[in-house]
Amino acid sequence: MAETEQALQVHVTGRVQRVGFRAWTQAQAERLGLHGWVRNERDGSVRALIVGPEAAVTAMLLLLREGPRGAVVSDVVTEAVEPGAASPGFAITG
């Protein structure tokens, strides 16, 4: 039985820019078999679309709460979105 696909838009705040957060997020997402995108926001936060099997999405959220070395994550806010909202692969945008 196939696992249910989940899609979340994620907003990460704290010291998350200029620490390699986008590249780290892309690498972790690809390792977990997720697709979507990650981008920097003008306010210094990072936003991502994470799409994939529920267990992999949950694992990614745990990773995002820690972030890469040098990051200080203050908060991770999620919003459920339609799973069809992402292209295959995981891209760094903006």
Side-chain angles (χ1 to χ4, degrees), residues 5-8 32 34 50-62:
E5 188 167 83
Q6 184 176 24
L8 295 177
L32 291 168
L34 297 167
I50 309 293
V51 182
E54 189 174 347
V57 170
T58 298
M60 186 68 192
L61 289 176
L62 291 172

Side-chain angles (χ1 to χ4, degrees), residues 18-70:
R18 304 184 70 85
V19 294
F21 204 98
R22 291 179 302 162
W24 175 85
T25 299
Q26 181 184 45
Q28 298 304 313
E30 288 174 346
R31 182 179 63 79
L32 291 168
L34 297 167
H35 55 278
W37 49 261
V38 61
R39 71 174 182 231
N40 284 340
E41 297 290 315
R42 289 185 174 177
D43 65 1
S45 65
V46 169
R47 189 170 301 273
L49 175 65
I50 309 293
V51 182
E54 189 174 347
V57 170
T58 298
M60 186 68 192
L61 289 176
L62 291 172
L63 291 166
L64 288 171
R65 291 183 194 289
E66 294 298 318
R69 180 178 301 190

